Amino acid sequence: MTNQTLVEVSNLTKHFPASNKQLVRAVDGVSFAIQRGETLGLVGESGCGKTTVGRCLLRLIEPTGGEIRFDGRNLTELNRTELRGLRRRMQIIFQDPYSSLNPRLKVGQIIAEPLAIHGTGSKAEQRDKVAELLRVVGLDPDYANRYPHQFSGGQRQRIGIARALALNPGFIVADEPVSALDVSVQAQVVNLLQDLQAQFGLTYLFISHGLAVVKHISSRVGVMYLGKLVELASADDIYSKPLHPYTQALLAAIPLSDPDANRREVHRLGGDVPTPLNPPSGCRFHTRCPHATERCKVEEPKFAEVSAGHWAACHLHD
């Protein structure tokens, strides 16, 4: 791990037990690194395992295998006491701003909860911190005395962001933080996250199923399919010269503002997403890939660096 690397994930695996002694292979051997101060976007269809990756990184759920290093420390080897000390530096913004806030608590109590759990500051200092955090996310400090149901979705997500910032973390997992919001509000929240990153030097793992949103906030983008990372590159490379057929199909699905201008060749995905209970042999995407060969059905492609900083798992680029 270099001094610039904050998070390093090696062969991360998470399997959930299912009926008949089967396993749901939610995450199956994922490796990547996140540099200090950058935003790594993680995208893919629902059920591909991206949220599971984010929660494993914070050990909100325990990984089945692999290694997760945060600032040089292996999180998978830490006991609860040791992990508690690091939790100040790692926080999460949840997807649903409605269910992620306790409706019985006032906003001030919600934002101050991390401070109270970690014993940070007196009651007066915590109140001052709450007021400061509300200002930082663009809300009136007087809102601390209101309940979550009195706010819109965008305002609730700002409250969730304020709570994530309470302990001055360096790393935040943003788990689809705008997917439940109106399109106009999505842009405001993304802009807020970018401003906060510049102000506090934050590092993000930004999880989303929408490539259009990820484009505006990410330094690099990783694409997941059925528990596997199939492509990883700078945002510019992903959007200008995607290598994996799945990435190409996702990009082709983004609506154009002018459908008649620069019309893209559409790579339509056929069939349904296979079940992670029994993923396809070989390349997991071969059942829907327009370029699949017999080799793809039997041999799993290696996740390899095709060009400088551009990684893909596809036999087309061996």
Side-chain angles (χ1 to χ4, degrees):
M1 176 181 288
T2 69
N3 291 333
Q4 295 304 312
T5 302
L6 182 63
V7 180
E8 189 171 30
V9 180
S10 302
N11 200 31
L12 178 65
T13 303
K14 179 59 182 178
H15 297 165
F16 295 98
S19 57
N20 300 323
K21 298 183 179 180
Q22 289 183 298
L23 293 173
V24 176
R25 300 177 180 275
V27 179
D28 219 6
V30 167
S31 300
F32 59 87
I34 307 176
Q35 307 303 310
R36 297 178 191 273
E38 81 160 337
T39 299
L40 176 66
L42 196 59
V43 300
E45 293 170 290
S46 296
C48 71
K50 55 190 185 295
T51 289
T52 303
V53 168
R55 296 194 175 205
C56 282
L57 258 57
L58 304 182
R59 274 187 59 184
L60 295 179
I61 55 177
E62 292 295 331
T64 303
E67 189 174 273
I68 303 164
R69 290 192 172 273
F70 178 79
D71 205 10
R73 299 186 68 182
N74 187 353
L75 298 185
T76 56
E77 294 179 348
L78 301 184
N79 59 37
R80 292 187 66 178
T81 303
E82 293 170 326
L83 188 61
R84 182 184 176 91
L86 274 182
R87 289 214 183 275
R88 294 169 173 266
R89 301 177 58 194
M90 306 180 296
Q91 293 294 313
I92 186 169
I93 302 166
F94 293 100
Q95 175 180 358
D96 187 355
Y98 294 90
S99 64
S100 63
L101 303 180
N102 189 333
R104 299 179 182 223
L105 296 181
K106 292 182 178 180
V107 165
Q109 294 171 298
I110 291 171
I111 298 174
E113 193 170 25
L115 302 171
I117 290 173
H118 286 270
T120 301
S122 64
K123 291 290 185 183
E125 289 170 334
Q126 291 177 7
R127 285 194 297 271
D128 291 343
K129 181 69 171 180
V130 168
E132 176 192 343
L133 288 167
L134 284 169
R135 291 190 194 96
V136 163
V137 298
L139 296 176
D140 191 317
D142 290 340
Y143 289 175
N145 296 314
R146 299 185 185 181
Y147 288 93
H149 74 269
Q150 296 176 276
F151 297 93
S152 67
Q155 289 174 319
R156 292 187 196 198
Q157 196 58 291
R158 288 173 184 264
I159 294 166
I161 293 170
R163 176 176 60 185
L165 293 173
L167 293 169
N168 302 315
F171 175 57
I172 292 180
V173 173
D175 184 12
E176 302 203 36
V178 298
S179 64
L181 307 178
D182 293 339
V183 174
S184 59
V185 180
Q186 287 183 9
Q188 296 172 15
V189 172
V190 168
N191 289 337
L192 172 63
L193 290 172
Q194 289 178 306
D195 292 342
L196 294 173
Q197 183 174 40
Q199 184 175 351
F200 298 112
L202 298 171
T203 303
Y204 291 140
L205 175 66
F206 189 93
I207 298 168
S208 177
H209 59 258
L211 274 165
V213 173
V214 168
K215 181 178 182 179
H216 295 288
I217 192 171
S218 300
S219 318
R220 292 184 301 135
V221 177
V223 182
M224 284 190 69
Y225 182 79
L226 209 62
K228 293 279 190 181
L229 200 58
V230 298
E231 188 163 1
L232 176 65
S234 69
D236 288 342
D237 284 349
I238 286 286
Y239 288 90
S240 63
K241 47 184 178 183
L243 298 180
H244 199 281
Y246 178 60
T247 309
Q248 294 166 3
L250 290 180
L251 288 169
I254 298 175
L256 292 170
S257 56
D258 182 357
D260 295 322
N262 301 317
R263 180 172 293 278
R264 298 162 297 198
E265 179 185 354
V266 177
H267 303 261
R268 297 192 181 278
L269 288 178
D272 297 323
V273 180
T275 172
L277 275 170
N278 186 26
S281 59
C283 174
R284 296 188 175 187
F285 187 58
H286 83 258
T287 59
R288 305 171 73 195
C289 180
H291 308 291
T293 64
E294 287 300 316
R295 181 188 180 192
C296 301
K297 298 177 183 179
V298 296
E299 182 183 341
E300 182 177 341
K302 292 181 180 179
F303 189 64
E305 193 170 20
V306 179
S307 59
H310 199 146
W311 296 70
C314 181
H315 291 309
L316 291 174
H317 304 288
D318 282 355

